[in-house]
Structure formats: structure tokens, C-alpha cells
Amino acid sequence: VLDLHDPMPEVFVSIFKGGEKHPFVRLLKLQERLSIAFADLAITPNIAFKERFLARSCPPDKMNIVMNSPQEEVFGPISEPLTPARQPGQPFRVMYHGSLVGRHGLDTAVEAVSMLRRRLPDVVFDIYGAHTSYVDEVLAAATGDGIRYHGLKSQAEIAALIARSDLGIIPNRRTVFTEINMPTRVFEFLACGRPVICPDTRGIRDYFD
């Protein structure tokens, strides 16, 4: 069984800004094709990924979808209706968790929250993830209060923090990879009963209207 977790040519193009004709991209496509030919069965996590693999290298009868999903023992399922996270006198909490890298668009989210605070001054943006030089750059450029970086947290801690937030955000930049990706974080927020703002991309539209 071959786990095609991500289409690696698209990942490479998104991270390193290489074109489709870059020698390493062509090598990745060759590796993908040979791996699929060797395997008896291939699995991938969403519809858009499946269609990408079928279009260039995989016979339809070999490919199946096994979606990424939150750990149920950590993120749910919810057995009782949640009360609103926000209590009187408390700030409205927007939350981001995940890798702190440029392609995930944290700088755009920080800029948006800074603009929003001009009209809703009690908004707080909580950021969780392993420290990177990128997050230092984003925080240094942030204006005003309300942007708070808390570092890396465990999955159990993230689930508890989501339950105490009011809104999740996934501000990915549009690339050839994020266009077809279905972020598991969408399901993590929803499993904890919280709304989430996410990109209007093909990978997400396959599952949400």
C-alpha cells in the first residue's frame, strides 16, 4: 500500500517557488509514477489530491481516499452543546495553530486583525506553533495590541484552547498546493464546535459549500 499523503511536485513548487519544468519537479513526478506502478493500492486524503494523481500517473482502480481527521479522543465528538466561548467582559478570541511558515499566511492574518481592532478593540489573536524566524518577523511588524504568540502546544492543549476561542482562522496563501489541500485544522475547529474562516479553494470546496 502506497500512502500518497501530499502531491510532492506541488509541495516543492509552493515552498521553493520552482516552476513545473524545474528538474527536481520532474524527478518527483517520475518517482511518483514509479512508486504507483510498484504499489498494489494507493491512498490519499482528499478528492482534489486523488484527481491530481489520476490525471498524471495513477490508474483509477488503484486509488482510494482515506481522509485526515482529528483524533476523536482529543477533539471530540461533542456529546453536549457548547456554550458560547465568550463571556461578558472578555475579549473576542481569534485562534491560529499550526506551522509558522510564510506559505500559511500568518502575516496576512495579523494585518487583518490589526485592522479589525480599529473597529472592535477587544479582539485578541492567539497564535500557537513551534517558534520560527518567520513568526519573529510577523510579530515585529504587527501594529497595536492584541497579537499574542504562545509557542508550541500539545494536541490536547490545542483542543482545550479551541474550546475557549471564538473563531478559528486558516489564512493560507494561494499556491498550487494550498489550492488542492484540505487542512485537517478545519475539522479540528469544527469538532470542538467553533466556526473557522478558511480559504475559498478547490480542496476545501469539495467538502463545504
Side-chain angles (χ1 to χ4, degrees), residues 123-193:
V123 171
V124 170
F125 185 25
D126 294 308
I127 302 166
Y128 301 91
H131 180 265
T132 62
S133 59
Y134 169 70
V135 75
D136 286 338
E137 295 172 8
V138 171
L139 295 175
T143 58
D145 299 324
I147 311 298
R148 301 176 184 175
Y149 171 58
H150 303 278
L152 183 64
K153 303 294 180 182
S154 69
Q155 289 287 284
E157 289 173 315
I158 289 296
L161 290 163
I162 290 175
R164 294 199 293 268
S165 70
D166 297 285
L167 175 69
I169 186 168
I170 298 172
N172 291 349
R173 296 186 183 281
R174 188 179 294 273
T175 69
V176 293
F177 176 71
T178 58
E179 182 64 38
I180 58 176
N181 187 39
M182 174 64 230
T184 308
R185 287 170 291 159
V186 173
F187 296 124
E188 292 173 350
F189 282 114
L190 298 181
C192 293

Side-chain angles (χ1 to χ4, degrees), residues 30-52:
L30 174 62
Q31 181 187 41
E32 174 189 298
R33 186 165 61 251
L34 293 176
S35 299
I36 289 173
F38 179 78
D40 297 302
L41 177 70
I43 58 174
T44 198
N46 67 48
I47 295 170
F49 282 9
K50 175 182 177 179
E51 293 183 357
R52 184 61 57 97

Side-chain angles (χ1 to χ4, degrees), residues 12-44:
F12 179 88
V13 170
S14 298
I15 295 175
F16 299 104
K17 313 300 182 185
E20 290 289 330
K21 295 183 179 180
H22 190 285
F24 193 67
V25 172
R26 293 203 267 180
L27 179 62
L28 288 171
K29 289 181 179 180
L30 174 62
Q31 181 187 41
E32 174 189 298
R33 186 165 61 251
L34 293 176
S35 299
I36 289 173
F38 179 78
D40 297 302
L41 177 70
I43 58 174
T44 198

